[in-house]
Amino acid sequence: MIQFFKKLGKWPVILIAAAITILLSLYFQMAFLRHLPEGAPGYAALQLASSVERFSEVLDIWGPENALRYQHSMWADFLFPISYAVLFTGMLVRIGSKQQPTQFEQTVWFAPTLAAIMDFIENILQLVLLTKGEPYAPQLVMLACNAAMVKWVLLGGIIPITLVWAIGRSLFFKQKEKSLPSV
């Protein structure tokens, strides 16, 4: 498994994953977000809607045309988790220990994959909710919201903090190695 992760840490893989992630983000912007009314909540508001009322409110603000546009553009949101999982895993591996990765590093390497799994769950539940229509099942709205929250905690918190920590540690040890007298 470590060898698989090490392959994700190669520069060509990271750069391709970054390019795909950026392209999918741009597609989603062009296909959906730019059509929303000014001041309307974005897709994150729907993802984090923890009640049927809030879920319905966001969709009402969007209007039926934009709700349908969101559904049609969601194919990209099934590729997006794969691209960002490869990108962030590759980055975490790349800046990690060069020799034998620590147990902590190996555990953190799974964070982007867990975020992607939560994203898939959220996407599937949202598609079910949007396809089925009203009345929305409160349990599905809450499950989709919970999956989104775990995804956002990982993507917005744990992964960036770990990247900053790893970069800082890497720089610290490089500085320390330079300051040590050679034997």
Side-chain angles (χ1 to χ4, degrees):
M1 189 63 133
I2 290 176
Q3 291 309 316
F4 172 74
F5 281 122
K6 292 285 187 181
K7 288 180 182 178
L8 295 180
K10 304 270 185 208
W11 278 120
V13 174
I14 292 171
L15 294 174
I16 290 169
I20 292 170
T21 301
I22 291 167
L23 288 173
L24 288 169
S25 296
L26 291 173
Y27 166 79
F28 206 65
Q29 172 68 32
M30 297 304 293
F32 172 67
L33 289 175
R34 72 183 183 112
H35 299 285
L36 290 178
E38 192 172 322
Y43 59 87
L46 189 68
Q47 293 173 353
L48 298 173
S50 61
S51 68
V52 170
E53 293 77 19
R54 179 63 179 151
F55 192 83
S56 296
E57 178 186 352
V58 171
L59 291 174
D60 287 344
I61 293 169
W62 286 0
E65 188 175 290
N66 285 319
L68 188 60
R69 190 174 278 124
Y70 181 69
Q71 279 181 268
H72 290 172
S73 64
M74 279 191 74
W75 67 266
D77 207 11
F78 281 94
L79 297 176
F80 192 63
I82 297 167
S83 68
Y84 73 63
V86 170
L87 172 63
F88 291 140
T89 302
M91 290 170 62
L92 288 166
V93 169
R94 183 83 190 170
I95 61 175
S97 298
K98 299 301 179 209
Q99 296 82 18
Q100 181 62 27
T102 66
Q103 187 62 43
F104 173 75
E105 287 173 323
Q106 291 179 48
T107 302
V108 170
W109 291 350
F110 284 101
T113 302
L114 180 58
I117 290 167
M118 293 294 111
D119 207 344
F120 286 133
I121 291 169
E122 167 210 323
N123 292 342
I124 290 166
L125 292 171
Q126 281 191 349
L127 278 177
V128 167
L129 287 161
L130 293 169
T131 304
K132 186 177 173 231
E134 292 189 64
Y136 300 112
Q139 300 86 351
L140 294 183
V141 171
M142 184 54 79
L143 281 172
C145 175
N146 288 338
M149 282 194 281
V150 170
K151 171 190 78 174
W152 285 114
V153 164
L154 289 167
L155 293 178
I158 294 171
I159 294 170
I161 289 169
T162 305
L163 284 170
V164 168
W165 170 80
I167 290 169
R169 189 191 68 182
S170 168
L171 292 173
F172 173 76
F173 282 119
K174 282 183 184 174
Q175 289 288 17
K176 199 173 185 178
E177 288 172 5
K178 287 180 184 177
S179 66
L180 291 176
S182 22
V183 184

